[in-house]
Every structure is written in structure tokens, then in C-alpha cells.
Amino acid sequence: MVIIVVSGRKRKFDEQTALHAAMEVFWAKGFVGASLADLTKSMNINKPSMYSTFGNKEALFIKATQYYIENKMKVHLDALFTPDTPLKTRLKNYMMSIVGMQCSTEQPKGCYLVLCQSEIAGGDIPEEASKLLIDIDVLPKTLFVDLFTTDKEAISLGLHHHAQGNSLSLYTALKGCAAMARSKVSSTELAFVIDTILAGVFAGNNEQTKVGTITTNTIQ
Amino acid sequence: MVIIVVSGRKRKFDEQTALHAAMEVFWAKGFVGASLADLTKSMNINKPSMYSTFGNKEALFIKATQYYIENKMKVHLDALFTPDTPLKTRLKNYMMSIVGMQCSTEQPKGCYLVLCQSEIAGGDIPEEASKLLIDIDVLPKTLFVDLFTTDKEAISLGLHHHAQGNSLSLYTALKGCAAMARSKVSSTELAFVIDTILAGVFAGNNEQTKVGTITTNTIQ
DNA sequence: AGTTAATCATACCATTAGGTACAATATTAA
DNA sequence: TTAATATTGTACCTAATGGTATGATTAACT
């Protein structure tokens, strides 16, 4: 990191602190729902300061989103790779770490990304921001797929045969929990949901249930 | 229904058709994201017609939401009570009927209610509309609870012992699928997710997984 | 046909949206 | 102390927001 010393008035606010505040506004209201008045008020700065520091609303959103990923997503990863811990326990710890955050009263309930991703279809999210949100969406699923295909225990349990499907199931459960958390469902209740989806994955769900006359068991 | 015949110019548009169009706009953009320009353009009427017919944006939203419930939610119920069909199959048919709708290209992807409910936390949804959205949210869960507590097969399988938790699991899965569908995940892929959660429910997930040093197995 | 009453289209209102110009204010280099 | 530079606060811009007033249209009832 290069620090260039220049003369001029010093910035009164801390960029990271302001970014944290912006993140919370987008987390609660989404990109479209968050107005510049909302943002600058929470960031405790005025519009020219915001524009000179971050560019515009979209650029601020992109930085806030990256801030969320760095500070609110990656922190849970440790639980997934704890040594000498059964796979199921590691998955549960990881998922409950996320669910705990979704239900916390310290910050907006639910998931920043789930909310903003759901705004894309409305057509009011600028292209670059939209692209970022879509790109991010593959990361958690890829993480699960890697785990199911490389973890010794996963392979010995045969879970790697349905790595894609199992990963999608867990990721879908997390998104469902995000929606539930936003409606104020407690993490205690959602723990049961996590247990259930993990039971389904570990029980093996290969015996597909018939739908009408056709049977579905392929993932494309 | 009382029809009052009065003199005067006849309405050029059909109220239900207009409501259907409004529903699709709210479905795609949410309450906050949908502007009156968006709405009246899709409804193919102009603002005074909209205001004289429906009241205001909130009243239109409430009617559109009720329209959604009547025409897009209740249609799936039949699958849940098909005679001579195993419980698991009925649940799968019901859930896949919903997921199929979430993934359809005939209308906006995902779920109208999940999107709009997620906007409540932002504080920009008027009170009456917000109350409706919150009230609706208990219906699907209640539906599952009733089923698990009254269905013969459910009871014989012991599923009624975790009626609350199992219901929450299925409802959470549906909300997760809604989020997934909005990001264009196919119903074929989501069928695997539904199979997995059903496997979890029917396998019984009573054997809870330890989280750190504490064990969670209660639903409050 | 003429009266009555409801709907329609246009234009408009106040407010808020995202975004800037500009002058006042701090800060450093000289 | 002064010149140079960057940040700040205020005021403003244009476009879009939810919502209306108004007068022209159109249809039913007498």
C-alpha cells in the first residue's frame, strides 16, 4: 500500500468506518431502496465527500459489497476446516455461524447479498454492480463442491457422487434461512432446519420421489 | 357481490387484467422498486384511472398481493391432498408445483412474497401493506403443521413429534428455492434440493449435531 | 335528444432522486 | 507567512417520484 503525502485539508472521517455504515444501509434497504440521503446520513458525511471519496452510488455499492464479503462472509470459513472434527459437525458449525449472523440484532437481519441479488431482476441495478453480485453467487456453491469432492470423509461416505446437488441443497438452505431471518425467525429455530438439511444430505437422497408420472433425479 | 348499475362512461379496461399486470410488476420489482410509471405502463392505463379504481399505490399493492395469493398460491394446494398418494409424494408434488412456478419463464422468477417481505425491514413499506405481508407469512407454515399433526401417515411415521420444526424446514426450503429461482437456477436442479430436505424430514433429524460445546435440539 | 354521471387524457403539483458548482476552510510545503 | 491543495458545507441542477385538478369524452337513463 503506497501512501502519498499531499498538502490539503485532512479528511474528517475514516473511509472504512463510512464503508461499514454504507454496508449496513444497503444490507437493510438494498441498492434501489437505499437513497443517497439514507447513505450519507448513516455514514455521517455529506454528498460531496461521498462522491469525491467513492465516486458515485454504484461505486460505493461495489466497495460496500466487497467490504461485506471480506468482513461478513470470510469470517465463517474457519469453522469449515477445523482439524479433527467430523464433516457433518464442520458443516453445521459453518452454516450456523452464518445463520447466527443473519439473525443477529447487531446488524440488519438476513443476508445483504440475497436481498441485492433479488433486485437484479427488477432491472434497476447498474451493470457492473449486477455482474459483481452474480459473480459472488457462485463462490459459496463452489466452496461446498470443493469440500464434497476433496474431503476424505465426504468421499468415504459417497457424498462426492452428488457433490453438485448436495452443495446446491446446502446453499439453498442458507438462502432460505436468510429470508427467514429477515422475518425475525430465531437462530434457535433455524438450527433445526440446518440439522434437517444436513440429515437429508448425509442420509443420501438418491431414492427420488415420483412426481406424477415422471421421475426426476438428474441435475443439469 | 352487488353490481350497481350507474350511468356514465364505461371503463375501457378490465380490473382483473390490470390487477394481474400490477401483480407482475410488484413481483419483479417489489413495492418500493415499482414506480407508478412502471405500474400504469404495464397495466396499460393512466394514473387517474389507477387512482380512481384502486385508491393509491398501497391499496393497489394490497389488491395485487391478494390476487397473487388467490391465483398463484392456492392453485398448488390440490397436490397436497390427493387421495391414495403417499405423504412424501404429496409433499414433493406440492413443493415442486410451487418451485415450477418460481422458475417459470411465463412470469417473474422467484416469489412475490419473499421479495416484498424482504423490503419490510427497509422501513419503506406502509403499515397496512406490511401487516398483510407479515400475516400471510404464517399461512404456509400453518398448513404444514396441520398436515404433520393430522395426517395419518405423518403420525404413524412419528413426524408429528416435530411438526413445528419439520414445517419450518420445508417452508425455509421453499423460500430458499425462491431466492435460487430468482437467480435463474432451474427447477430440475431445485428438485434435488426438495428431495434432500424431504429425505431429511422423513429420515428424522432428531440426532442433533454438536455445535462447539453446546448441543441444540429445541425449537422455541 | 338531452341530461347526468363516470372515465379518460393532459398537464400539473410538491417532494425527493442522484449528482455538482462553488466558495469557505483546513492542512502541508516552501 | 504565503502559496498550493484537498475537504467541507451550502446551494443548486435536472429528472423522476407519488399524487391531483381539470376539462374533454362517452355511455346510460329519462
Side-chain angles (χ1 to χ4, degrees):
Chain A
M1 187 161 184
V2 183
I3 298 177
I4 301 167
V5 180
V6 281
S7 59
R9 186 171 174 173
K10 272 196 175 167
R11 193 166 277 163
K12 261 190 176 175
F13 62 95
D14 175 56
E15 194 173 319
Q16 291 298 110
T17 307
L19 213 44
H20 187 96
M23 172 196 71
E24 292 203 329
V25 175
F26 286 127
W27 194 341
K29 312 193 92 174
F31 176 82
V32 179
S35 72
L36 279 183
D38 293 329
L39 289 162
T40 53
K41 188 181 172 188
S42 290
M43 298 165 83
N44 203 27
I45 62 179
N46 43 36
K47 283 198 271 186
S49 295
M50 184 262 133
Y51 275 86
S52 69
T53 306
F54 299 102
N56 60 10
K57 189 185 176 185
E58 182 184 10
L60 174 64
F61 176 75
I62 289 173
K63 290 198 175 94
T65 305
Q66 288 164 337
Y67 182 96
Y68 179 86
I69 298 167
E70 288 300 322
N71 297 282
K72 297 288 169 178
M73 297 241 63
K74 296 194 176 173
V75 286
H76 310 286
L77 279 174
D78 283 348
L80 209 48
F81 301 103
T82 314
D84 305 319
T85 309
L87 175 62
K88 197 176 180 184
T89 304
R90 278 182 282 141
L91 282 168
K92 165 122 185 197
N93 287 344
Y94 173 67
M95 295 176 82
M96 281 311 296
S97 177
I98 292 174
V99 169
M101 182 182 80
Q102 291 171 350
C103 296
S104 167
T105 54
E106 306 287 309
Q107 54 212 342
K109 306 234 180 200
C111 175
Y112 178 117
L113 298 171
V114 168
L115 175 62
C116 295
Q117 280 160 358
S118 75
E119 291 183 305
I120 294 176
D124 293 321
I125 306 248
E127 198 174 320
E128 203 181 335
S130 173
K131 187 178 177 309
L132 173 61
L133 290 169
I134 293 169
D135 287 347
I136 292 168
D137 202 40
V138 303
L139 296 180
K141 213 193 128 193
T142 306
L143 180 72
F144 284 130
V145 171
D146 284 351
L147 189 69
F148 281 122
T149 50
T150 62
D151 185 274
K152 279 184 199 169
E153 199 183 341
I155 296 171
S156 72
L157 290 168
L159 297 179
H160 61 300
H161 291 127
H162 295 99
Q164 296 281 336
N166 287 332
S167 299
L168 189 67
S169 295
L170 296 188
Y171 192 30
T172 303
L174 283 175
K175 289 203 180 190
C177 287
M180 286 299 186
R182 210 170 267 273
S183 332
K184 302 193 180 126
V185 173
S186 71
S187 68
T188 311
E189 288 177 277
L190 295 177
F192 193 95
V193 178
I194 299 301
D195 282 321
T196 304
I197 193 73
L198 285 172
V201 166
F202 279 78
N205 57 339
N206 318 23
E207 19 130 4
Q208 300 291 314
T209 309
K210 277 191 184 169
V211 180
T213 53
I214 57 159
T215 305
T216 54
N217 64 351
T218 45
I219 301 286
Q220 61 189 352
Chain B
M1 187 160 184
V2 182
I3 298 177
I4 301 168
V5 180
V6 281
S7 60
R9 185 172 174 177
K10 272 195 174 167
R11 194 167 275 164
K12 259 190 176 176
F13 63 94
D14 174 56
E15 194 174 317
Q16 292 298 304
T17 308
L19 215 42
H20 187 96
M23 173 196 70
E24 293 204 330
V25 176
F26 286 127
W27 194 341
K29 311 192 92 172
F31 176 82
V32 180
S35 72
L36 279 182
D38 293 328
L39 289 163
T40 52
K41 189 181 173 188
S42 290
M43 296 165 83
N44 204 28
I45 62 179
N46 43 37
K47 283 197 273 184
S49 295
M50 186 260 133
Y51 274 86
S52 70
T53 307
F54 299 102
N56 60 10
K57 189 185 176 185
E58 181 183 11
L60 173 64
F61 175 76
I62 289 173
K63 290 200 174 94
T65 304
Q66 288 164 338
Y67 182 97
Y68 179 86
I69 296 167
E70 287 301 321
N71 297 283
K72 297 290 170 179
M73 296 239 63
K74 296 194 174 171
V75 286
H76 310 287
L77 278 174
D78 282 348
L80 210 47
F81 302 103
T82 315
D84 306 319
T85 309
L87 175 63
K88 196 176 179 183
T89 304
R90 280 182 281 141
L91 282 167
K92 166 122 184 196
N93 287 345
Y94 173 67
M95 295 176 81
M96 281 311 296
S97 177
I98 292 173
V99 169
M101 182 184 80
Q102 291 171 351
C103 297
S104 167
T105 54
E106 305 288 310
Q107 54 213 343
K109 306 237 180 195
C111 173
Y112 178 118
L113 299 172
V114 169
L115 175 61
C116 295
Q117 280 160 359
S118 76
E119 290 184 305
I120 294 176
D124 293 322
I125 307 246
E127 198 174 322
E128 203 181 336
S130 174
K131 188 179 176 312
L132 173 62
L133 290 169
I134 292 171
D135 287 347
I136 293 167
D137 201 41
V138 303
L139 296 180
K141 214 195 128 195
T142 306
L143 180 73
F144 283 131
V145 171
D146 284 351
L147 189 70
F148 281 123
T149 50
T150 61
D151 186 274
K152 280 185 201 169
E153 197 183 343
I155 295 171
S156 73
L157 289 168
L159 297 180
H160 60 301
H161 290 127
H162 295 98
Q164 295 283 335
N166 287 332
S167 299
L168 189 68
S169 295
L170 296 188
Y171 192 30
T172 303
L174 283 175
K175 288 204 180 189
C177 287
M180 285 298 187
R182 211 169 265 274
S183 335
K184 301 192 179 125
V185 172
S186 72
S187 68
T188 312
E189 288 176 276
L190 295 178
F192 193 94
V193 177
I194 299 299
D195 282 321
T196 304
I197 193 74
L198 285 173
V201 166
F202 279 77
N205 57 339
N206 320 23
E207 21 130 0
Q208 301 291 316
T209 309
K210 277 193 187 167
V211 181
T213 52
I214 55 158
T215 306
T216 55
N217 63 353
T218 46
I219 300 287
Q220 59 189 2

